[in-house]
């Protein structure tokens, strides 16, 4: 496309506002007088029939203005992002503990929260389905098991010299965005509604509010300046608070504001899908896979939400970087009486990837090989190999650069020597054992719902040459706004300061897709470039006409127009164009090319390209307690020709830590009644500062270049690095394996308890402490 | 109703809070329209609400980071607070911490950033370089922390800016009891003791890090809140002979300062409970008096043979700390009686305590084990073992202790004692750990203690964390 490098380490556009506390989040917006506050009354029963709800004590509570049951709603009672109904307020039944049953509207946040606890509810309890096994036994599925198959896996496995089977369970993950769900709605004249929402998906919030109010979408305007973190947790889960605000504002005629208390946020909203993966794999003595049969049991919770595409993506990432000559992936989408699992960075990909990485690790253990060698022998062929291979869903893998990345990482991380040193350490140290693992990542980029791969942008240039930028993407900390602004500035050849970033706004760019699937920069950046190019083309046409020349003879370089030995500055041309009645505003629209996908049969090209990376992690465990520590991590990650390496590096580091948090300390615990006991940071432990690697060495891959025509040939970076965290999990498993004879079969999250249990399950008398030998 | 007088960013404030339960965070955001301080969890676990309390100690400006979400307005009488809005210079110059945070891209979504800046500013002002400890109470979900640490380290190379150096912390008069009949903040111990004897239903609040949650999470109103952390006599630490007497309202930061040289093992554990923000307000007495089965100080202090000093009016009684805990939520505290202090023997060389939790920092113990054994040659002639997290109360392992007493200390003895722990405890399963794991850990910690004593052939015994 262009050899022009956009690379520039510009800081986050809001950096100064962030560090001074001036950045405004929805809850920081100044309230107009008369603003009301909301709270949900929640179900304390996981499964049951609502017999009666006595709201009298709620009405009597201080400051209460109105209390709504589902029967009081003005129009639709549905906040679902999918075609499957998901009530805002429970109707006849409750389906999980934490489900909203009624809505309190009160004068203050505290009064609303207090009142919401006062209802007297009679609910006839039904035995809830909580676990994967509960759901399997009751055959509680959202749709028939989906099967993706290539080749003849059964016979490929059976005829293999070696066959292994096993199982891994992995927990879910709470997003723990630091800013909880929040919205504010301000009624406008003529049934209009202005809503400030902390959402990754303003157009969907607009759509759901319109349905909730029974008005067309053009009456509803949703604005998003920034979120205090999203991670997928505000892709669909922002709908409820925003709809509740709009409904309350509509019914009272007053501005309404709603933020979940942190504990309510945990109880009400969805999390990452937890999952069990069972496998049977056939391979040869060198570790090369002949065939694999994988069953994925995905716990989706009480409503469908985004579970189908999440589970699909788990299936699509069952190969990771490995060629599977024959495979059968079966996915069970289980309905349970728990929070509805939802999008979370990686969107099913991490679960699928943990599954195959476990399989490779297990094979290596069985063969007594270094897992790295088993991984390498199964990698997809590189682009220049002359024989490209297809994934299990039939997509030709044209860009598999993982071998090159891994080779570089093996060398820069000194992997081989360190493995040797670790073995020596483990021989000498009875109490503390070390482990190391290198895992690769190949992550498919595009929404698997093909129609979502579209984006719009709106660019104005004002008479003074200043640029106003708007596009369909939302800012949640990932630096999307600065990256798109860089693209606009680069396209116009103007300094970054001349571009004004504006909030995502459904009045400016309509029908947007969620800022999700790592696609933000790819699609909004392209749309923005197209919009800017339209304006430049008009200016070129204008100058060509003035010089009685052909547009091809007008050159635009670094913000200057050159025609027939004349050079014009950008601002000068802008003003001239205005005086000559040329439009200085344009929309840009982009749709990702090359995609075709049939999710039912599992064939096609769901992804435009793949993003790659690899990590080596070294850990230490205490065999008496299961306590552990990440000693060192080395990462090389491919972001193509980065638009902003500093921003991308932040995504890689943060994604990695979030990924191993999921697989180590972050444990969701439901009690036997279905109550989520870990519903606050006091009980749910995301990595804290000291949990970061003692020695972290992260590099963006210097040779990175996207062979597809993406914006500046960059690659998406939001989700892929999360899966680098799998290396920590397998390093822990490796440390355990140093003193167990059987394969450890560690489950996630690898809390100290699971690590110790895995150790003690595999040996009784650990070793001779006196001699310090195993 | 009298006013609560304090300073926010050098500006004098006189606020009212007839409820007694308004938190500083609530007041900052909803009354003072200072929205830079964020609410992340409203329970003192995420640090997004971090602000600084300024004081002068030994002629030096000290910045103490605290969580404003569980700090009551009434605790601020005569204190100086600095928020994120008061960190930059008067001309809008950025603080070195702010500059470094931008330079090293320590911000992503920005929501935790004000709290992180405040913690780092406190470190910068105090000249503290252990940033992992400083930031243990500030969760960030975006960055993975490395960029924040880089920023913090860079900032420490820069001097304190003039506008921080020139802060004049107002000379605070002796705090006054501004309360009326229902809300009190006494400053005289004797008067408080007399008052409490006739108002035994009052809610005593020292640091408020536990009581705060009754308000922010359980939405309770507090009957007659009485804020006792400004009573000077309750904050005194005295050493006489081999005994340290610690006033109940001594905060954990201070307690760590005085105890660490006697019991480094206890100091390590103190630095793992709560966070800097919590330890700057939470008190020794509070950690005992709230009777939690998973408080971390009681097992350690029980193993150290500490005695609790209880007082009613001018009558004091001392009891072994373990006798204070009767059952879940029930303590041996008479009506009108309060915890005045605790006496800690200082002479025990072989005291060790261990805390096991899912996350190293700022987590609640699954098990907290404390051990003390004195040997006469190789014979155990004194032994104390106490655990938190294994029973409804912090409790001694009586049967195990009885078995060990008089035995020769060796691996065989320890392995037999490990099995006996099953007669002492029947731990429950909950979200922190299963009963089986708790039991296994209890046994293994005894083993760990033994190996630690034997200085097992120089092997590294526990995971070093930076």
């Amino acid at each position: 496309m262009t050899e022009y490098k956009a690379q520039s380490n510009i800081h986050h556009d809001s950096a100064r506002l962030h560090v001074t506390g001036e950045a405004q989040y929805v809850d920081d917006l100044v309230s107009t007088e008369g603003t009301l506050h909301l709270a949900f009354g929640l179900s304390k029963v996981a499964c049951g029939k609502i017999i009666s709800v006595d709201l009298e004590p709620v009405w009597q509570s201080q400051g209460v203005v109105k209390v709504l049951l589902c029967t009081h709603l003005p129009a639709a009672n549905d906040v679902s992002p999918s075609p499957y109904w998901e009530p805002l307020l429970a109707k006849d039944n409750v389906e999980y503990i934490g489900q909203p049953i009624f809505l309190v509207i009160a004068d203050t946040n505290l009064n609303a929260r207090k009142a919401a606890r006062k209802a007297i509810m009679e609910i006839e309890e039904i035995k809830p389905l909580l676990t994967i096994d509960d759901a399997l036994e009751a055959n509680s599925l959202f749709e028939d098991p989906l099967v993706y198959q290539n080749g003849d896996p059964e016979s490929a496995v059976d005829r293999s010299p070696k066959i292994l089977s096993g199982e891994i369970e992995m927990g879910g993950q709470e997003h723990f965005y630091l800013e909880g769900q929040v919205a504010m709605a301000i009624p406008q004249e003529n049934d209009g509604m202005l809503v400030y929402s902390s959402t990754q998906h303003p157009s969907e919030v607009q759509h759901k509010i319109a349905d909730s109010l029974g008005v067309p979408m053009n009456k509803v305007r949703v604005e998003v300046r920034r979120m205090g973190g999203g991670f997928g947790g505000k892709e669909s889960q922002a709908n409820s608070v925003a709809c509740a605000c709009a409904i309350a504002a509509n019914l009272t005629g007053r501005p309404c504001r709603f933020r979940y208390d942190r504990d309510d946020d945990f109880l009400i909203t969805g999390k990452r899908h937890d999952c069990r993966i069972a496998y049977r794999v056939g391979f040869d003595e060198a570790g090369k896979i002949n065939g694999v049969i994988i069953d994925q049991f995905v716990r989706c919770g009480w409503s469908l939400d985004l579970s189908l595409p999440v589970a699909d993506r788990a299936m699509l990432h069952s190969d990771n970087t490995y060629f599977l000559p024959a495979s059968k992936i079966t996915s069970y989408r289980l309905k349970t009486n728990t929070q509805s699992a939802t999008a979370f960075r990686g969107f099913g990909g991490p679960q699928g990837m943990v599954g195959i990485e476990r399989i490779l690790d297990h094979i290596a253990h069985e063969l007594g090989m270094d897992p790295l060698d088993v991984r390498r022998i199964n990698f997809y062929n590189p682009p220049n190999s002359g024989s490209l291979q297809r994934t299990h869903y039939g997509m030709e893998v044209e860009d598999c650069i993982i071998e090159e990345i891994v080779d570089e990482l093996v060398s820069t991380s000194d992997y081989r020597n360190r493995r040797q040193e670790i073995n020596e350490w483990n021989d000498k140290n009875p109490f503390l054992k070390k482990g190391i693992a290198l895992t690769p990542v190949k992550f498919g980029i595009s929404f698997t719902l093909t129609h979502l791969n579209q984006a719009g942008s709106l660019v104005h240039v004002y008479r003074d040459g200043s640029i106003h930028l708007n596009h369909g993407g939302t800012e949640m900390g990932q630096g999307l706004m600065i990256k798109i602004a860089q693209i606009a500035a680069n396209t116009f050849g103007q300094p970054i300061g001349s571009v004004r970033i504006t909030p995502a706004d459904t009045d400016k760019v309509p029908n947007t897709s969620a800022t999700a699937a790592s696609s933000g920069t790819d699609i909004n950046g392209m749309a923005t470039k197209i919009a800017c190019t339209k304006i430049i083309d008009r200016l070129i046409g204008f100058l060509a006409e003035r010089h009685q020349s052909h547009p091809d003879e007008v050159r635009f370089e670094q913000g200057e127009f050159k025609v027939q030995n004349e050079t014009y500055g950008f601002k000068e041309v802008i003003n001239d164009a205005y005086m000559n009645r040329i439009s200085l505003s344009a929309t840009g629209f982009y749709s990702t090319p090359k995609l075709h996908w049939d999710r039912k049969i599992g064939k096609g090209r769901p992804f435009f390209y793949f993003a790659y990376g690899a990590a080596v992690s070294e850990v230490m465990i205490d065999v008496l307690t299961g306590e552990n520590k990440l000693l060192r991590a080395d990462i090389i990650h491919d972001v193509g020709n980065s638009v902003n390496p500093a921003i991308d590096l932040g995504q890689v580091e943060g994604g990695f830590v979030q990924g191993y948090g999921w697989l180590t300390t972050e444990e969701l615990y439901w009690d036997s009644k279905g109550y989520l006991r870990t519903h606050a940071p006091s009980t749910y432990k995301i990595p804290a500062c000291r949990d970061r690697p003692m020695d972290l060495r992260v590099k963006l891959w210097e040779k990175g270049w996207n062979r597809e025509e993406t914006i500046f040939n960059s690659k998406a970076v939001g989700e892929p690095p999360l899966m680098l965290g799998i290396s920590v999990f397998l390093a822990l498993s490796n440390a355990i394996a140093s003193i167990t004879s059987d394969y450890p079969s560690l489950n996630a999250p690898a809390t100290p308890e699971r690590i110790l249990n895995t150790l003690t399950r595999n040996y009784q008398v650990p070793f001779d402490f006196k001699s310090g030998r195993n | 109703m009298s006013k609560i007088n304090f300073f926010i960013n050098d500006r004098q404030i006189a606020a009212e809070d007839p409820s007694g339960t308004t938190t500083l965070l609530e007041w900052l955001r909803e009354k003072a329209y200072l929205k830079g301080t964020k609410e992340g969890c409203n329970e003192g676990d995420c640090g997004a609400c971090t602000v600084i309390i300024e004081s002068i100690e030994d002629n030096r400006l000290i910045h103490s980071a605290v969580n404003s979400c569980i700090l009551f307005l009434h605790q601020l009488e005569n204190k100086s607070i600095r928020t994120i809005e008061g960190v930059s210079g008067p001309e809008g110059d950025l603080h070195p911490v702010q500059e470094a945070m931008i330079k090293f891209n320590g911000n992503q979504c920005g929501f935790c950033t004000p709290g992180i800046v405040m913690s780092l500013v406190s470190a910068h002002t105090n000249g503290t370089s252990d940033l992992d400890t400083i930031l243990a109470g500030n969760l960030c979900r975006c960055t993975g922390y490395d960029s924040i640490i880089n920023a913090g380290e860079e900032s420490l190379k820069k001097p304190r800016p003039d506008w921080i150096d020139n802060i004049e912390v107002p000379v605070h008069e002796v705090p006054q009891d501004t309360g009326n009949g229902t809300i009190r903040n006494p400053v005289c111990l004797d008067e408080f003791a007399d008052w409490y004897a006739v108002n035994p239903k009052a809610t005593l609040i020292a640091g408020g890090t536990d009581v705060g949650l009754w308000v922010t999470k359980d939405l309770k109103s507090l009957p007659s809140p009485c804020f006792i952390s400004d009573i000077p006599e309750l904050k005194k630490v005295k050493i006489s002979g081999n005994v340290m007497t610690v006033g109940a309202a001594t905060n954990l930061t201070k307690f760590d300062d005085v105890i660490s040289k006697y019991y480094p093992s206890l100091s390590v554990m103190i630095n793992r409970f709560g966070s800097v923000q919590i330890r700057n307000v939470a008190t020794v007495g509070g950690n005992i008096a709230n009777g939690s089965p998973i408080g971390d100080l009681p097992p350690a202090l029980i193993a150290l043979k500490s005695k609790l000093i209880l007082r009613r009016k001018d009558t004091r009684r001392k009891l072994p700390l373990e006798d204070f805990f009767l059952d879940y939520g029930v303590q041996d505290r008479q009506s009108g009686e309060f915890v005045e202090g605790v006496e800690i023997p200082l002479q025990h060389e072989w005291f060790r305590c261990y805390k096991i939790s899912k996350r190293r920092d700022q987590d609640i113990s699954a098990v907290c084990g404390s051990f003390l054994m004195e040997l006469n040659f190789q014979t155990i002639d004194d032994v104390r073992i106490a655990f938190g997290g294994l029973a409804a109360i912090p409790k001694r392992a009586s049967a195990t202790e009885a078995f060990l007493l008089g035995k020769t200390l060796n691996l065989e003895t320890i392995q037999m004692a490990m099995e006996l722990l099953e007669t002492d405890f029947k731990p429950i399963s909950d979200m922190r750990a299963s009963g089986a794991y708790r039991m296994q850990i209890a046994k293994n910690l005894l083993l760990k203690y033994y190996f630690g004593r034997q200085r097992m052939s120089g092997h590294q015994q526990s995971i070093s964390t930076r």
Side-chain angles (χ1 to χ4, degrees), chain A residues 10-12 14-16 18-21 23 25 27-29 109-110 113-114 117 173-179 226-229 231 257 259-263 344-345 425 428-432 475-478 620-629 646-647 650-651 653-655 657-658 665-667 669 677-678 680-696 751-753 756-757 760 769-772, chain B residues 26 29-30 33 35-43 45-46 48 84-85 88 92-94 98-99 101-105 107-114 117 130-133 135-136 138-147 149 153 215-221 271-272 355-364 411-412 415 429-434 437 440-441 444-445 447-448 451 456-457 459-466:
Chain A
I10 299 174
H11 301 304
H12 195 288
S14 297
R16 191 184 166 101
H18 287 156
V19 301
T20 54
Y25 301 80
D27 201 44
D28 301 335
L29 300 173
N109 179 281
L110 190 60
R113 288 177 63 207
K114 282 181 174 170
R117 299 193 184 183
Q173 185 177 27
E174 161 64 33
H175 303 85
F176 204 79
Y177 24 66
L178 260 286
E179 175 210 35
R226 64 172 63 81
M227 283 162 270
F231 316 112
R257 184 188 275 264
R259 68 180 149 95
Y260 290 157
D261 173 69
R262 178 61 66 179
D263 295 58
F344 195 141
R345 201 176 194 174
W425 163 279
K428 287 187 204 133
N429 287 275
F431 305 111
L432 302 175
E475 175 68 38
M476 61 196 98
Q478 82 279 43
M620 180 184 273
I621 62 171
D622 180 329
V623 302
L624 290 180
T625 61
E627 292 166 292
N628 55 86
K629 177 73 197 157
I647 295 281
Q651 289 296 296
E653 291 179 2
V657 171
Q658 197 171 64
T665 55
E666 296 185 36
E667 183 174 39
Y669 178 93
R677 289 273 169 193
T678 46
S682 50
T683 43
Y684 182 78
K685 310 314 276 190
I686 72 166
C689 190
R690 207 187 308 266
D691 300 316
R692 74 189 202 286
M694 291 175 78
D695 182 358
L696 176 64
T751 55
E753 171 161 2
L756 191 72
N757 286 350
T760 46
F769 287 109
K770 283 182 193 161
S771 70
Chain B
E26 217 178 331
R29 292 184 56 83
E30 290 172 20
Y33 300 99
K35 306 266 192 177
T37 308
K38 307 299 180 198
E39 177 184 316
C41 67
N42 216 9
E43 61 172 21
D45 266 294
C46 80
I84 186 70
E85 288 86 356
S88 308
D93 299 341
L94 294 180
Q98 294 172 311
E99 276 180 350
M101 280 288 283
I102 295 175
K103 182 177 170 192
F104 288 88
N105 303 291
N107 62 306
Q108 286 188 24
C109 87
F111 201 82
C112 73
T113 310
V117 167
D130 177 5
L131 297 181
D132 282 301
T133 299
L135 290 173
N138 289 87
L139 299 178
C140 168
R141 192 52 151 164
C142 296
T143 63
Y145 302 101
D146 224 57
S147 52
I149 290 291
E153 285 173 353
V215 171
T216 63
K217 296 296 169 181
D218 299 341
L219 307 182
K220 282 186 185 151
S221 46
N271 276 286
R272 289 181 54 195
K355 170 178 174 131
I356 305 298
S357 53
K358 279 184 206 168
R359 188 173 70 194
R360 186 188 184 278
D361 281 323
Q362 213 202 14
D363 197 356
I364 293 165
L411 187 58
E412 284 67 32
Q415 281 175 330
S429 297
D430 66 11
M431 64 276 185
R432 293 197 179 89
S434 69
Y437 174 70
Q440 185 69 50
I441 283 297
N444 288 3
L445 288 181
L447 195 58
K448 203 177 181 61
F451 287 129
M456 267 291 294
S457 41
H459 292 302
Q460 193 179 331
Q461 302 266 340
S462 58
I463 295 176
S464 65
T465 47
R466 254 173 256 287

Side-chain angles (χ1 to χ4, degrees), chain A residues 374-557:
Chain A
V374 176
R375 289 193 166 90
R376 284 188 95 267
I377 202 173
N378 285 291
F379 281 161
Y380 281 112
N381 289 339
N384 55 6
S385 62
S387 66
L388 296 180
Q389 293 156 320
R390 286 182 185 275
T391 62
H392 54 300
Y393 46 91
M395 175 172 167
E396 193 164 70
V397 182
E398 304 162 311
D399 61 4
C400 187
I401 46 169
I402 193 61
E403 200 170 82
E404 227 181 312
I405 291 177
V406 164
D407 285 351
E408 190 178 324
L409 184 63
V410 166
S411 151
T412 57
S413 69
D414 197 22
Y415 172 87
R416 302 279 182 191
N417 284 330
R418 282 165 64 202
R419 182 172 279 286
Q420 190 51 44
E421 284 163 18
I422 285 168
N423 289 340
E424 288 162 16
W425 163 279
N426 286 342
D427 281 344
K428 287 187 204 133
N429 287 275
F431 305 111
L432 302 175
K433 298 291 178 183
K434 289 183 179 180
I436 190 168
L438 184 154
T439 60
V441 170
K442 160 180 141 290
F443 192 77
I445 302 299
S446 293
F447 289 97
T448 57
L449 277 174
T450 303
H451 75 268
L452 296 176
N453 296 289
Q454 57 170 311
S457 177
L458 174 66
V459 176
H460 307 318
V461 184
Y462 293 99
R463 282 183 68 181
D464 62 356
S466 65
I467 299 157
H468 170 113
L469 169 64
N470 196 270
H471 55 84
T474 56
E475 175 68 38
M476 61 196 98
Q478 82 279 43
L480 177 65
M481 294 296 170
I482 190 66
K483 285 167 88 172
I484 306 291
Q486 284 175 262
I487 290 162
N490 277 305
T491 311
F492 282 124
Q494 295 300 301
I496 189 74
S498 66
V499 179
R500 174 157 180 253
I501 291 163
T502 57
D505 185 337
T506 56
D507 268 12
K508 286 185 179 167
V509 175
N511 308 319
T512 57
S513 295
T515 308
S518 308
S519 68
T521 306
D522 278 14
I523 60 176
N524 294 293
M526 274 301 207
T528 297
K529 187 169 196 295
I530 289 165
C532 298
T533 305
K534 273 189 194 172
I535 294 171
I536 292 166
D537 285 348
R538 283 183 209 145
L539 298 172
I540 286 173
F542 159 67
L543 286 177
E545 200 178 309
R546 179 194 272 182
H547 284 264
Q548 310 236 316
S549 170
H550 191 272
D552 289 349
E553 288 164 31
V554 182
R555 282 180 302 144
F556 179 61
E557 285 168 2

Side-chain angles (χ1 to χ4, degrees), chain B residues 94-403:
Chain B
L94 294 180
H95 188 282
V97 164
Q98 294 172 311
E99 276 180 350
M101 280 288 283
I102 295 175
K103 182 177 170 192
F104 288 88
N105 303 291
N107 62 306
Q108 286 188 24
C109 87
F111 201 82
C112 73
T113 310
I116 286 190
V117 167
M118 294 314 283
S119 284
L120 289 177
V121 165
S122 74
H124 191 261
T125 305
N126 299 346
T128 319
S129 58
D130 177 5
L131 297 181
D132 282 301
T133 299
I134 287 295
L135 290 173
N138 289 87
L139 299 178
C140 168
R141 192 52 151 164
C142 296
T143 63
Y145 302 101
D146 224 57
S147 52
I148 295 171
I149 290 291
N150 291 339
E153 285 173 353
E154 165 91 357
S155 73
L156 289 172
K157 296 176 195 157
K158 305 272 170 63
R160 290 196 294 198
D162 297 346
W163 64 89
I164 295 288
D165 259 347
N166 295 340
I167 287 174
E168 285 183 30
V169 179
V171 179
H172 295 308
E173 304 154 27
V174 177
Q176 299 296 311
D177 184 353
T178 57
N180 58 19
T182 54
I183 303 172
R184 310 278 306 187
N185 54 332
V187 290
C188 167
L189 183 59
D190 292 340
E191 277 176 31
F192 160 67
D194 290 346
W195 177 84
Y196 186 55
V198 290
N199 293 279
K201 295 229 157 69
T203 311
L204 301 189
I205 301 156
T209 55
D210 190 24
V211 175
L213 273 67
W214 306 355
V215 171
T216 63
K217 296 296 169 181
D218 299 341
L219 307 182
K220 282 186 185 151
S221 46
L222 304 176
S224 309
C226 178
F227 300 91
I228 55 174
S229 58
D230 281 326
I231 301 176
E233 296 108 303
L234 274 185
K235 296 201 275 193
K236 284 200 175 128
V237 176
K238 278 183 303 202
I239 297 175
S240 95
N242 270 334
V243 175
M244 178 185 285
T245 307
V246 180
T250 305
N251 72 40
L252 295 175
T253 302
K254 176 83 185 296
F255 180 56
D256 182 36
D257 286 347
V258 295
I259 203 76
S260 57
K261 75 171 169 186
Y262 300 99
Y263 298 120
S265 157
L266 180 55
S267 174
V268 169
M269 192 179 72
I270 291 172
N271 276 286
R272 289 181 54 195
F273 75 82
S275 56
V276 169
Q277 292 95 316
I278 295 291
R279 295 193 294 272
N280 280 340
V281 286
T283 63
V284 171
N287 199 245
I288 295 168
N290 76 5
S292 166
I294 43 180
D296 284 332
L297 276 189
L301 298 184
I302 288 171
L304 283 170
K305 305 184 182 179
S306 305
K307 290 198 171 66
L308 196 64
I309 306 165
L310 289 155
R311 173 171 174 187
R312 186 178 184 284
K313 280 178 137 172
D314 48 12
T315 309
R316 292 180 175 84
R317 67 182 171 115
K318 280 187 203 173
L319 76 166
L321 181 55
E322 59 269 32
D323 294 345
F324 179 63
F325 305 102
L326 301 175
D327 202 347
Y328 184 77
V330 186
Q331 297 90 41
D332 180 8
R333 187 165 68 85
Q334 308 301 313
S335 176
E337 199 174 40
F338 63 96
V339 174
E340 189 180 47
V342 60
E343 288 181 357
I344 307 169
L346 295 175
Q347 75 275 26
H348 299 296
E349 186 194 350
W350 278 107
F351 165 80
R352 295 290 181 275
C353 58
Y354 309 92
K355 170 178 174 131
I356 305 298
S357 53
K358 279 184 206 168
R359 188 173 70 194
R360 186 188 184 278
D361 281 323
Q362 213 202 14
D363 197 356
I364 293 165
S365 297
V367 175
C368 175
S370 297
F371 306 88
L372 178 65
M373 282 184 210
E374 303 291 352
L375 298 189
N376 186 358
F377 296 97
Q378 279 308 299
T379 305
I380 302 169
D381 72 351
D382 192 5
V383 52
R384 277 279 183 131
I385 300 172
F387 284 100
L390 293 190
I393 51 171
K395 194 169 161 250
R396 283 173 67 181
S398 316
T400 312
E401 286 179 7
F403 167 81

Side-chain angles (χ1 to χ4, degrees), chain A residues 1 21 98 149 186 277 370 372 390 413 418 453 496-497 501 518 547 573 602 617 655 717 734:
Chain A
M1 185 168 89
Q149 183 168 343
I186 305 171
I277 294 179
D370 187 325
L372 171 62
R390 286 182 185 275
S413 69
R418 282 165 64 202
N453 296 289
I496 189 74
I501 291 163
S518 308
H547 284 264
V573 178
S617 292
V717 68
N734 181 245

